[in-house]
Amino acid sequence: MRPMCANRAGEITVMAAAGSRAGALFDLDGDGDLDLVTSDFNAAPQVLISNLAQVRQINWLQVQLIGTSSNRDGLGALVKVETARGSYTKQHDGKSGYLSQSSLPLYFGLGEADAVTRVEVRWPSGRTQVVAQGIKVNGTLRIEEPR
Ligand SMILES: [Ca+2]
């Protein structure tokens, strides 16, 4: 058993290391920040809910890829999200780990940026696609590969 202490707000602080074997990262409570579920050695899983969205305003965008010429989920695609405050690039690697699978949409934390000006996808098929309109932050943008 791990030593824990709770403060007056009911928050619990874990005071010892855990032998986690796997972890899945996704927005479990639907508030926009990423939460974590771990599978621990000889122990029950831990469900770690982030309170970031309750502490301050967060801005984010999930990008769900739908491949047509490329594979169905666009695995291997390179996605660049541009804002007035900078850009963020991620490769869609499937987000799987040892004994775990996170949710597939790519998650981009946008910091202070409250608007996305452009999303560029370089599909595994070699095509490049740009979306520059209708992008709403704090939600999921579905992008289907042109046929
Ligand atoms: Ca969350």
Side-chain angles (χ1 to χ4, degrees):
M1 182 167 192
R2 298 178 193 111
M4 294 184 273
C5 65
N7 64 22
R8 290 184 184 164
E11 297 168 335
I12 296 174
T13 303
V14 178
M15 305 290 284
S20 297
R21 295 297 188 258
L25 195 60
F26 58 102
D27 185 10
L28 182 63
D29 56 358
D31 64 356
D33 58 24
L34 293 177
D35 310 302
L36 177 66
V37 176
T38 66
S39 175
D40 298 337
F41 188 67
N42 287 334
Q46 292 185 82
V47 179
L48 306 169
I49 304 294
S50 171
N51 68 349
L52 182 62
Q54 287 72 47
V55 173
R56 66 180 183 89
Q57 172 67 40
I58 63 169
N59 297 305
W60 52 277
L61 178 70
Q62 287 194 124
V63 177
Q64 180 182 6
L65 299 176
I66 302 160
T68 55
S69 301
S70 301
N71 59 76
R72 180 179 56 189
D73 294 313
L75 297 176
L78 193 66
V79 178
K80 182 178 183 183
V81 171
E82 297 178 12
T83 74
R85 294 179 176 255
S87 65
Y88 307 89
T89 302
K90 287 187 175 182
Q91 180 140 27
H92 193 20
D93 64 359
K95 301 185 348 183
S96 65
Y98 177 68
L99 300 176
S100 64
Q101 173 68 57
S102 298
S103 63
L104 278 182
L106 288 167
Y107 181 95
F108 294 87
L110 302 175
E112 301 297 321
D114 59 1
V116 171
T117 54
R118 184 176 186 269
V119 176
E120 179 182 297
V121 181
R122 290 176 54 197
W123 292 94
S125 65
R127 295 188 74 163
T128 298
Q129 181 178 5
V130 173
V131 176
Q133 295 180 349
I135 305 169
K136 296 179 181 173
V137 298
N138 302 333
T140 301
L141 175 66
R142 293 179 47 149
I143 300 177
E144 184 172 332
E145 180 180 20
R147 293 182 188 270

